[in-house]
Amino acid sequence: MIDKETREQIIALVKREVVPAMGCTEPMAVALCTARATELLGQRPEKIDVLLSGNMLKNAMGVGIPGTGMTGLPIAIALGAIIGKSEYELEVLKDLTPEALAEGRQFVDEKRITIGLKQHICEKLYIEVTCHAGEKSETAVIEGSHTNFRPSPQPLPVREGSIYSQEQKTNDGQTTPLPPREGQEVGLSMRLVYDFATTAPLDEIRFIEETRNYNMNAAREALKGNYGHNLGKTIDRPLSKGIFGNSIFCHIIARTASACDARMGGAMIPVMSNSGSGNQGICATNPVCVYAKENENTEEELIRALMLSHLTAIYIKQSLGVLSALCGCVVASIGSSCGITYLMGGDYERVCASVKNMVANLTGMICDGAKPSCSLKITSGVSTAVLSSLLAMEGKCVSSAEGIVDDSVDKSIRNLTSIGADGMGITDEMVLKMMTEKEK
Protein backbone atom coordinates (compact mmCIF):
# COMPACT_ATOMS: atom_id res chain seq x y z
CA MET A 1 0.00 0.00 0.00
CA ILE A 2 1.31 3.43 -0.97
CA ASP A 3 1.64 5.82 1.96
CA LYS A 4 -1.07 8.43 2.53
CA GLU A 5 1.09 11.45 1.69
CA THR A 6 2.06 10.04 -1.70
CA ARG A 7 -1.54 9.10 -2.43
CA GLU A 8 -2.66 12.64 -1.65
CA GLN A 9 -0.02 14.04 -3.98
CA ILE A 10 -1.13 11.79 -6.83
CA ILE A 11 -4.81 12.57 -6.25
CA ALA A 12 -4.04 16.30 -6.34
CA LEU A 13 -2.16 15.79 -9.61
CA VAL A 14 -5.02 13.85 -11.21
CA LYS A 15 -7.59 16.43 -10.11
CA ARG A 16 -5.50 19.18 -11.75
CA GLU A 17 -5.04 17.30 -15.00
CA VAL A 18 -8.47 15.69 -15.42
CA VAL A 19 -10.99 18.55 -15.65
CA PRO A 20 -14.14 19.43 -17.64
CA ALA A 21 -13.74 21.28 -20.93
CA MET A 22 -16.21 22.62 -23.48
CA GLY A 23 -14.94 22.22 -27.02
CA CYS A 24 -11.33 21.89 -28.11
CA THR A 25 -9.03 23.04 -25.32
CA GLU A 26 -6.76 25.17 -27.54
CA PRO A 27 -9.38 27.66 -28.83
CA MET A 28 -11.08 27.52 -25.43
CA ALA A 29 -7.80 28.51 -23.77
CA VAL A 30 -7.52 31.44 -26.20
CA ALA A 31 -11.11 32.43 -25.39
CA LEU A 32 -10.25 32.13 -21.69
CA CYS A 33 -7.26 34.43 -22.09
CA THR A 34 -9.44 36.88 -24.05
CA ALA A 35 -12.06 36.84 -21.30
CA ARG A 36 -9.39 37.64 -18.72
CA ALA A 37 -7.93 40.51 -20.80
CA THR A 38 -11.46 41.89 -21.23
CA GLU A 39 -12.04 41.72 -17.47
CA LEU A 40 -8.82 43.62 -16.90
CA LEU A 41 -9.91 46.21 -19.47
CA GLY A 42 -13.22 46.64 -17.67
CA GLN A 43 -15.28 47.05 -20.85
CA ARG A 44 -15.92 45.36 -24.16
CA PRO A 45 -12.84 45.80 -26.38
CA GLU A 46 -12.99 47.56 -29.70
CA LYS A 47 -10.03 45.61 -31.07
CA ILE A 48 -8.20 42.43 -30.03
CA ASP A 49 -4.63 41.40 -30.87
CA VAL A 50 -3.66 37.77 -30.30
CA LEU A 51 -0.18 36.23 -30.44
CA LEU A 52 0.23 32.44 -30.18
CA SER A 53 2.98 29.86 -30.13
CA GLY A 54 3.20 27.65 -33.21
CA ASN A 55 1.68 24.63 -31.47
CA MET A 56 -1.26 26.66 -30.20
CA LEU A 57 -1.89 28.10 -33.67
CA LYS A 58 -1.69 24.66 -35.24
CA ASN A 59 -4.14 23.12 -32.77
CA ALA A 60 -6.73 25.88 -32.95
CA MET A 61 -7.02 26.56 -36.67
CA GLY A 62 -9.41 23.90 -37.91
CA VAL A 63 -11.68 22.89 -35.05
CA GLY A 64 -15.38 23.63 -34.61
CA ILE A 65 -16.36 26.02 -31.82
CA PRO A 66 -19.24 24.68 -29.71
CA GLY A 67 -22.69 26.08 -30.49
CA THR A 68 -21.52 28.39 -33.27
CA GLY A 69 -21.45 26.34 -36.46
CA MET A 70 -18.13 28.06 -37.12
CA THR A 71 -14.53 26.90 -37.23
CA GLY A 72 -11.33 28.36 -35.87
CA LEU A 73 -10.08 31.09 -33.59
CA PRO A 74 -11.82 34.35 -34.59
CA ILE A 75 -15.27 33.43 -33.29
CA ALA A 76 -13.79 31.90 -30.10
CA ILE A 77 -11.89 35.14 -29.45
CA ALA A 78 -14.92 37.32 -30.14
CA LEU A 79 -17.14 35.29 -27.82
CA GLY A 80 -14.44 35.26 -25.15
CA ALA A 81 -14.67 39.04 -25.11
CA ILE A 82 -18.47 39.22 -25.32
CA ILE A 83 -19.72 36.51 -22.93
CA GLY A 84 -16.59 34.79 -21.59
CA LYS A 85 -16.00 34.48 -17.85
CA SER A 86 -12.49 33.51 -16.81
CA GLU A 87 -13.78 31.85 -13.64
CA TYR A 88 -15.36 29.18 -15.86
CA GLU A 89 -11.88 28.13 -17.01
CA LEU A 90 -12.14 25.77 -20.02
CA GLU A 91 -15.95 26.05 -20.00
CA VAL A 92 -15.48 29.77 -20.63
CA LEU A 93 -18.16 29.98 -23.34
CA LYS A 94 -20.89 27.99 -21.62
CA ASP A 95 -23.16 31.08 -21.35
CA LEU A 96 -23.45 31.29 -25.14
CA THR A 97 -26.79 32.59 -26.47
CA PRO A 98 -28.05 33.21 -30.03
CA GLU A 99 -27.82 36.94 -29.38
CA ALA A 100 -24.20 36.67 -28.24
CA LEU A 101 -23.37 34.55 -31.28
CA ALA A 102 -24.82 37.19 -33.60
CA GLU A 103 -22.71 39.85 -31.86
CA GLY A 104 -19.65 37.63 -32.15
CA ARG A 105 -20.18 37.08 -35.86
CA GLN A 106 -20.46 40.84 -36.37
CA PHE A 107 -17.26 41.40 -34.36
CA VAL A 108 -15.45 38.94 -36.64
CA ASP A 109 -16.97 40.36 -39.84
CA GLU A 110 -15.82 43.85 -38.86
CA LYS A 111 -12.24 42.50 -38.75
CA ARG A 112 -11.58 43.69 -35.22
CA ILE A 113 -9.33 40.68 -34.47
CA THR A 114 -5.73 40.10 -35.54
CA ILE A 115 -3.98 36.78 -34.94
CA GLY A 116 -0.26 36.20 -35.30
CA LEU A 117 2.64 33.96 -34.39
CA LYS A 118 4.61 34.92 -31.27
CA GLN A 119 8.27 35.05 -32.22
CA HIS A 120 11.35 34.01 -30.24
CA ILE A 121 9.69 31.92 -27.51
CA CYS A 122 10.54 28.40 -26.38
CA GLU A 123 7.23 27.70 -24.66
CA LYS A 124 5.03 25.45 -26.83
CA LEU A 125 1.83 26.59 -25.12
CA TYR A 126 1.75 30.38 -25.17
CA ILE A 127 -1.22 32.75 -25.55
CA GLU A 128 -0.98 36.54 -25.42
CA VAL A 129 -4.17 38.58 -25.80
CA THR A 130 -4.27 42.38 -25.82
CA CYS A 131 -7.66 44.09 -25.72
CA HIS A 132 -7.97 47.72 -26.81
CA ALA A 133 -10.67 50.33 -26.15
CA GLY A 134 -9.82 53.87 -27.17
CA GLU A 135 -6.43 54.76 -25.68
CA LYS A 136 -6.66 52.01 -23.09
CA SER A 137 -5.34 48.47 -23.48
CA GLU A 138 -4.81 45.43 -21.24
CA THR A 139 -2.94 42.18 -21.82
CA ALA A 140 -3.38 38.68 -20.41
CA VAL A 141 -0.96 35.80 -20.93
CA ILE A 142 -1.43 32.05 -20.52
CA GLU A 143 1.62 29.83 -20.75
CA GLY A 144 2.73 26.33 -19.84
CA SER A 145 -0.75 24.88 -19.47
CA HIS A 146 -4.18 25.76 -20.79
CA THR A 147 -5.34 27.58 -17.64
CA ASN A 148 -2.05 28.87 -16.24
CA PHE A 149 -2.19 32.68 -16.27
CA ARG A 150 1.00 34.65 -15.93
CA PRO A 151 0.67 36.74 -12.71
CA SER A 152 -1.41 39.84 -13.38
CA PRO A 153 -0.84 43.36 -12.04
CA GLN A 154 -4.51 43.37 -10.98
CA PRO A 155 -6.09 41.11 -8.34
CA LEU A 156 -7.73 38.01 -9.78
CA PRO A 157 -11.00 36.50 -8.59
CA VAL A 158 -10.49 33.58 -6.23
CA ARG A 159 -12.63 30.48 -6.49
CA GLU A 160 -11.88 27.31 -4.57
CA GLY A 161 -10.12 24.83 -6.79
CA SER A 162 -9.69 27.32 -9.62
CA ILE A 163 -6.59 28.31 -11.49
CA TYR A 164 -6.50 31.57 -9.53
CA SER A 165 -5.71 29.79 -6.30
CA GLN A 166 -2.17 29.68 -7.65
CA GLU A 167 -1.77 33.41 -6.92
CA GLN A 168 -1.90 35.53 -3.78
CA LYS A 169 -2.03 39.27 -3.14
CA THR A 170 0.95 41.09 -1.71
CA ASN A 171 0.74 44.09 0.62
CA ASP A 172 0.67 46.49 -2.30
CA GLY A 173 -2.34 44.72 -3.81
CA GLN A 174 -0.42 42.96 -6.58
CA THR A 175 -0.46 39.23 -7.19
CA THR A 176 2.44 36.82 -7.03
CA PRO A 177 2.61 33.10 -7.65
CA LEU A 178 2.11 30.90 -4.63
CA PRO A 179 4.74 28.24 -3.95
CA PRO A 180 4.01 25.02 -5.84
CA ARG A 181 1.14 23.18 -4.27
CA GLU A 182 1.84 19.93 -2.53
CA GLY A 183 2.04 17.13 -5.06
CA GLN A 184 2.43 19.45 -8.04
CA GLU A 185 5.78 17.97 -9.00
CA VAL A 186 5.15 14.38 -7.91
CA GLY A 187 7.36 12.11 -10.02
CA LEU A 188 5.61 9.06 -11.43
CA SER A 189 6.81 5.70 -12.66
CA MET A 190 4.84 2.89 -14.25
CA ARG A 191 5.16 0.86 -11.06
CA LEU A 192 3.83 3.73 -8.94
CA VAL A 193 0.99 4.38 -11.40
CA TYR A 194 -0.07 0.73 -11.34
CA ASP A 195 0.24 0.31 -7.57
CA PHE A 196 -1.73 3.48 -6.90
CA ALA A 197 -4.54 2.59 -9.28
CA THR A 198 -4.89 -0.95 -8.01
CA THR A 199 -4.41 -0.49 -4.24
CA ALA A 200 -5.58 3.01 -3.27
CA PRO A 201 -8.73 3.00 -1.10
CA LEU A 202 -11.70 3.05 -3.47
CA ASP A 203 -13.33 6.08 -1.85
CA GLU A 204 -10.18 8.13 -2.52
CA ILE A 205 -10.24 7.50 -6.27
CA ARG A 206 -13.97 7.17 -6.94
CA PHE A 207 -14.01 10.70 -8.37
CA ILE A 208 -12.42 9.40 -11.58
CA GLU A 209 -15.77 7.80 -12.42
CA GLU A 210 -16.97 11.28 -13.43
CA THR A 211 -14.92 10.84 -16.61
CA ARG A 212 -17.37 8.12 -17.64
CA ASN A 213 -20.38 10.34 -16.99
CA TYR A 214 -18.98 13.15 -19.14
CA ASN A 215 -17.31 11.29 -21.98
CA MET A 216 -19.79 8.47 -22.54
CA ASN A 217 -22.54 11.09 -22.52
CA ALA A 218 -20.66 12.92 -25.28
CA ALA A 219 -20.73 9.71 -27.32
CA ARG A 220 -24.50 9.39 -26.81
CA GLU A 221 -25.16 13.03 -27.66
CA ALA A 222 -23.12 12.70 -30.85
CA LEU A 223 -25.73 10.31 -32.25
CA LYS A 224 -28.34 13.10 -32.16
CA GLY A 225 -26.60 15.14 -34.84
CA ASN A 226 -24.16 14.95 -37.73
CA TYR A 227 -20.82 16.10 -36.40
CA GLY A 228 -17.44 16.16 -38.09
CA HIS A 229 -16.96 13.15 -40.36
CA ASN A 230 -19.59 11.04 -38.56
CA LEU A 231 -17.00 8.32 -38.06
CA GLY A 232 -18.63 6.93 -34.92
CA LYS A 233 -22.05 6.72 -36.59
CA THR A 234 -20.51 5.20 -39.71
CA ILE A 235 -18.93 2.40 -37.69
CA ASP A 236 -22.35 1.68 -36.16
CA ARG A 237 -24.12 1.37 -39.53
CA PRO A 238 -25.08 -1.96 -41.16
CA LEU A 239 -22.38 -1.83 -43.83
CA SER A 240 -19.68 -1.41 -41.19
CA LYS A 241 -21.16 -4.16 -39.04
CA GLY A 242 -20.83 -6.44 -42.06
CA ILE A 243 -17.10 -5.69 -41.99
CA PHE A 244 -16.34 -5.32 -38.26
CA GLY A 245 -19.17 -7.42 -36.86
CA ASN A 246 -21.32 -6.48 -33.86
CA SER A 247 -18.36 -6.89 -31.51
CA ILE A 248 -16.86 -5.34 -28.40
CA PHE A 249 -14.08 -4.02 -30.63
CA CYS A 250 -16.59 -2.34 -32.94
CA HIS A 251 -18.42 -0.79 -29.97
CA ILE A 252 -15.19 0.49 -28.44
CA ILE A 253 -14.04 2.37 -31.52
CA ALA A 254 -17.57 3.62 -32.34
CA ARG A 255 -18.20 5.11 -28.88
CA THR A 256 -14.77 6.71 -28.77
CA ALA A 257 -14.95 8.12 -32.28
CA SER A 258 -18.50 9.44 -31.70
CA ALA A 259 -17.45 11.53 -28.72
CA CYS A 260 -14.55 12.94 -30.72
CA ASP A 261 -16.82 13.67 -33.70
CA ALA A 262 -19.13 15.72 -31.49
CA ARG A 263 -16.33 17.57 -29.73
CA MET A 264 -14.38 18.44 -32.87
CA GLY A 265 -17.60 19.22 -34.74
CA GLY A 266 -18.62 21.98 -32.33
CA ALA A 267 -21.32 20.31 -30.23
CA MET A 268 -22.24 22.06 -26.97
CA ILE A 269 -21.13 19.03 -24.99
CA PRO A 270 -18.60 19.21 -22.15
CA VAL A 271 -16.05 16.41 -21.86
CA MET A 272 -13.56 15.48 -19.19
CA SER A 273 -10.10 16.30 -20.48
CA ASN A 274 -6.73 14.79 -19.61
CA SER A 275 -3.53 16.86 -19.53
CA GLY A 276 -5.22 19.76 -21.31
CA SER A 277 -6.81 17.71 -24.10
CA GLY A 278 -10.43 16.68 -24.39
CA ASN A 279 -9.60 14.09 -27.05
CA GLN A 280 -7.04 12.55 -24.72
CA GLY A 281 -9.66 12.47 -21.99
CA ILE A 282 -12.12 10.72 -24.32
CA CYS A 283 -9.50 8.27 -25.54
CA ALA A 284 -8.45 7.39 -21.98
CA THR A 285 -12.07 6.91 -20.88
CA ASN A 286 -14.47 5.49 -23.45
CA PRO A 287 -12.58 2.34 -24.53
CA VAL A 288 -12.21 1.35 -20.86
CA CYS A 289 -15.89 2.01 -20.09
CA VAL A 290 -17.20 0.09 -23.10
CA TYR A 291 -14.97 -2.91 -22.40
CA ALA A 292 -15.89 -2.95 -18.70
CA LYS A 293 -19.61 -2.86 -19.48
CA GLU A 294 -19.51 -5.64 -22.07
CA ASN A 295 -17.08 -7.76 -20.07
CA GLU A 296 -19.33 -7.32 -16.99
CA ASN A 297 -16.52 -6.02 -14.81
CA THR A 298 -17.42 -4.73 -11.34
CA GLU A 299 -17.74 -1.06 -10.48
CA GLU A 300 -14.49 -1.23 -8.50
CA GLU A 301 -12.65 -2.77 -11.43
CA LEU A 302 -13.93 -0.03 -13.72
CA ILE A 303 -12.87 2.74 -11.32
CA ARG A 304 -9.40 1.26 -10.94
CA ALA A 305 -9.05 0.74 -14.69
CA LEU A 306 -10.08 4.35 -15.38
CA MET A 307 -7.55 5.61 -12.85
CA LEU A 308 -4.85 3.42 -14.37
CA SER A 309 -5.67 4.72 -17.85
CA HIS A 310 -5.81 8.42 -16.95
CA LEU A 311 -2.79 8.34 -14.65
CA THR A 312 -0.71 6.51 -17.27
CA ALA A 313 -1.51 9.28 -19.76
CA ILE A 314 -0.57 11.92 -17.18
CA TYR A 315 2.70 10.09 -16.47
CA ILE A 316 3.65 10.02 -20.16
CA LYS A 317 2.79 13.69 -20.59
CA GLN A 318 5.16 14.59 -17.74
CA SER A 319 8.09 13.96 -20.08
CA LEU A 320 6.35 14.72 -23.40
CA GLY A 321 4.96 18.15 -22.52
CA VAL A 322 1.48 19.64 -22.86
CA LEU A 323 1.78 20.18 -26.63
CA SER A 324 4.14 18.37 -28.97
CA ALA A 325 4.60 17.08 -32.50
CA LEU A 326 3.32 13.67 -31.36
CA CYS A 327 -0.44 13.10 -31.60
CA GLY A 328 -1.99 13.00 -28.13
CA CYS A 329 -4.05 9.94 -29.03
CA VAL A 330 -0.82 7.93 -28.84
CA VAL A 331 -0.46 8.86 -25.17
CA ALA A 332 -4.11 8.36 -24.25
CA SER A 333 -4.37 5.09 -26.19
CA ILE A 334 -1.46 3.71 -24.18
CA GLY A 335 -3.44 4.60 -21.07
CA SER A 336 -6.59 2.90 -22.34
CA SER A 337 -4.59 -0.20 -23.29
CA CYS A 338 -3.35 -0.41 -19.70
CA GLY A 339 -6.91 -0.05 -18.41
CA ILE A 340 -8.28 -2.70 -20.77
CA THR A 341 -5.44 -5.09 -19.92
CA TYR A 342 -6.29 -4.68 -16.23
CA LEU A 343 -9.97 -5.39 -16.96
CA MET A 344 -8.92 -8.53 -18.84
CA GLY A 345 -7.30 -9.73 -15.62
CA GLY A 346 -3.78 -8.62 -16.44
CA ASP A 347 -1.17 -8.06 -13.74
CA TYR A 348 1.63 -5.48 -13.68
CA GLU A 349 3.82 -7.46 -16.10
CA ARG A 350 1.05 -7.73 -18.64
CA VAL A 351 0.18 -4.04 -18.29
CA CYS A 352 3.83 -3.23 -18.99
CA ALA A 353 3.74 -5.54 -22.00
CA SER A 354 0.74 -3.66 -23.38
CA VAL A 355 2.68 -0.37 -23.01
CA LYS A 356 5.67 -1.78 -24.89
CA ASN A 357 3.43 -3.16 -27.63
CA MET A 358 1.90 0.29 -28.03
CA VAL A 359 5.27 2.05 -28.15
CA ALA A 360 6.40 -0.39 -30.85
CA ASN A 361 3.41 0.46 -33.04
CA LEU A 362 2.20 4.06 -32.85
CA THR A 363 5.46 5.99 -32.45
CA GLY A 364 5.72 8.85 -34.92
CA MET A 365 2.03 9.65 -35.48
CA ILE A 366 2.14 13.39 -36.08
CA CYS A 367 -0.15 16.03 -34.63
CA ASP A 368 -1.39 18.26 -37.44
CA GLY A 369 -3.79 20.25 -35.33
CA ALA A 370 -7.16 19.75 -33.70
CA LYS A 371 -9.85 19.12 -36.32
CA PRO A 372 -12.76 16.79 -37.17
CA SER A 373 -10.46 14.14 -38.63
CA CYS A 374 -8.89 13.62 -35.19
CA SER A 375 -11.53 10.90 -34.81
CA LEU A 376 -9.65 8.89 -37.46
CA LYS A 377 -6.43 9.07 -35.47
CA ILE A 378 -8.23 8.22 -32.24
CA THR A 379 -9.72 5.16 -33.92
CA SER A 380 -6.24 4.08 -35.01
CA GLY A 381 -4.95 4.54 -31.47
CA VAL A 382 -7.82 2.69 -29.80
CA SER A 383 -7.65 -0.17 -32.30
CA THR A 384 -3.98 -0.58 -31.46
CA ALA A 385 -4.78 -0.38 -27.74
CA VAL A 386 -7.13 -3.37 -27.96
CA LEU A 387 -4.64 -5.34 -30.05
CA SER A 388 -1.80 -4.57 -27.64
CA SER A 389 -3.89 -5.72 -24.68
CA LEU A 390 -4.79 -9.00 -26.40
CA LEU A 391 -1.14 -9.67 -27.21
CA ALA A 392 -0.11 -8.87 -23.64
CA MET A 393 -2.70 -11.27 -22.23
CA GLU A 394 -1.32 -13.96 -24.54
CA GLY A 395 2.11 -13.35 -23.05
CA LYS A 396 3.38 -11.63 -26.18
CA CYS A 397 5.52 -8.51 -25.79
CA VAL A 398 7.76 -6.66 -28.22
CA SER A 399 11.33 -7.25 -27.05
CA SER A 400 14.21 -4.86 -26.48
CA ALA A 401 15.82 -6.21 -29.64
CA GLU A 402 13.13 -4.46 -31.64
CA GLY A 403 13.16 -0.74 -32.41
CA ILE A 404 12.93 1.76 -29.56
CA VAL A 405 11.45 -0.67 -27.03
CA ASP A 406 13.63 -1.21 -23.96
CA ASP A 407 13.57 -3.89 -21.28
CA SER A 408 12.48 -1.16 -18.87
CA VAL A 409 8.92 0.03 -19.47
CA ASP A 410 9.83 3.46 -18.13
CA LYS A 411 12.77 3.74 -20.53
CA SER A 412 10.48 2.67 -23.38
CA ILE A 413 8.14 5.53 -22.48
CA ARG A 414 11.09 7.96 -22.28
CA ASN A 415 12.23 6.85 -25.74
CA LEU A 416 8.75 7.56 -27.09
CA THR A 417 8.50 10.99 -25.47
CA SER A 418 12.03 11.95 -26.49
CA ILE A 419 11.08 11.38 -30.11
CA GLY A 420 7.87 13.39 -29.67
CA ALA A 421 9.36 16.26 -27.67
CA ASP A 422 12.78 16.56 -29.29
CA GLY A 423 13.23 14.39 -32.37
CA MET A 424 10.10 15.58 -34.18
CA GLY A 425 10.79 19.31 -33.79
CA ILE A 426 11.53 19.87 -37.47
CA THR A 427 8.45 17.83 -38.37
CA ASP A 428 6.36 20.13 -36.18
CA GLU A 429 7.71 23.22 -37.94
CA MET A 430 7.07 21.67 -41.34
CA VAL A 431 3.48 20.73 -40.44
CA LEU A 432 2.75 24.28 -39.25
CA LYS A 433 4.28 25.71 -42.42
CA MET A 434 2.11 23.48 -44.59
CA MET A 435 -1.01 24.40 -42.64
CA THR A 436 -0.45 28.15 -42.71
CA GLU A 437 0.60 28.32 -46.37
CA LYS A 438 -2.50 26.67 -47.81
CA GLU A 439 -4.35 28.71 -50.39
CA LYS A 440 -7.47 30.28 -48.85
Side-chain angles (χ1 to χ4, degrees), residues 41-332:
L41 188 66
Q43 63 186 95
R44 181 177 295 186
E46 299 167 1
K47 183 182 174 211
I48 303 173
D49 296 325
V50 178
L51 293 174
L52 304 171
S53 58
N55 287 79
M56 281 298 303
L57 192 61
K58 177 182 73 174
N59 277 358
M61 286 173 62
V63 69
I65 306 303
T68 68
M70 299 176 70
T71 297
L73 280 169
I75 189 63
I77 294 166
L79 292 175
I82 293 167
I83 53 100
K85 291 184 176 65
S86 61
E87 65 183 88
Y88 290 166
E89 301 180 0
L90 293 179
E91 295 180 283
V92 59
L93 301 184
K94 68 180 182 179
D95 288 342
L96 180 63
T97 63
E99 294 74 21
L101 177 57
E103 292 180 47
R105 288 176 181 271
Q106 182 178 352
F107 199 96
V108 173
D109 290 343
E110 291 173 353
K111 302 188 184 304
R112 295 173 179 268
I113 299 168
T114 60
I115 303 169
L117 189 65
K118 180 71 174 182
Q119 302 293 335
H120 311 302
I121 57 167
C122 297
E123 181 59 62
K124 291 183 179 293
L125 197 165
Y126 183 90
I127 307 164
E128 180 181 311
V129 178
T130 302
C131 290
H132 306 271
E135 298 298 316
K136 185 180 178 184
S137 65
E138 292 288 351
T139 299
V141 174
I142 288 177
E143 58 185 342
S145 70
H146 293 79
T147 57
N148 182 51
F149 280 98
R150 180 183 287 177
S152 165
Q154 295 187 25
L156 300 176
V158 176
R159 181 165 64 91
E160 185 178 355
S162 81
I163 50 179
Y164 304 121
S165 60
Q166 297 178 30
E167 300 185 349
Q168 62 183 358
K169 282 194 284 186
T170 59
N171 291 334
D172 60 2
Q174 292 191 340
T175 56
T176 58
L178 288 170
R181 290 170 290 181
E182 185 178 4
Q184 193 162 358
E185 301 301 328
V186 61
L188 297 173
S189 67
M190 200 63 224
R191 180 84 246 187
L192 180 57
V193 167
Y194 178 85
D195 287 348
F196 173 80
T198 57
T199 67
L202 195 62
D203 286 344
E204 292 184 6
I205 62 172
R206 190 179 295 276
F207 68 90
I208 201 67
E209 201 169 15
E210 272 295 286
T211 61
R212 176 183 65 174
N213 300 336
Y214 273 81
N215 296 345
M216 290 300 290
N217 180 63
R220 288 188 292 270
E221 289 295 318
L223 302 180
K224 299 177 182 178
N226 291 314
Y227 297 105
H229 297 292
N230 276 333
L231 180 58
K233 293 175 77 171
T234 299
I235 295 169
D236 262 341
R237 287 173 180 157
L239 176 61
S240 299
K241 281 185 166 52
I243 298 170
F244 293 111
N246 191 21
S247 63
I248 297 177
F249 174 75
C250 177
H251 299 162
I252 285 173
I253 58 176
R255 301 300 172 266
T256 309
S258 289
C260 179
D261 284 334
R263 179 173 176 269
M264 294 288 97
M268 285 292 286
I269 303 170
V271 301
M272 196 69 83
S273 64
N274 181 299
S275 304
S277 167
N279 281 349
Q280 286 172 200
I282 290 167
C283 198
T285 302
N286 290 22
V288 176
C289 292
V290 174
Y291 186 87
K293 180 179 179 180
E294 303 213 15
N295 194 48
E296 299 183 347
N297 288 99
T298 65
E299 180 187 33
E300 177 175 349
E301 288 168 338
L302 171 60
I303 290 170
R304 295 195 182 281
L306 283 171
M307 181 57 75
L308 178 58
S309 178
H310 279 275
L311 191 55
T312 298
I314 291 168
Y315 166 43
I316 297 171
K317 293 291 281 188
Q318 282 187 331
S319 54
L320 180 62
V322 179
L323 297 177
S324 75
L326 186 70
C327 178
C329 84
V330 175
V331 174

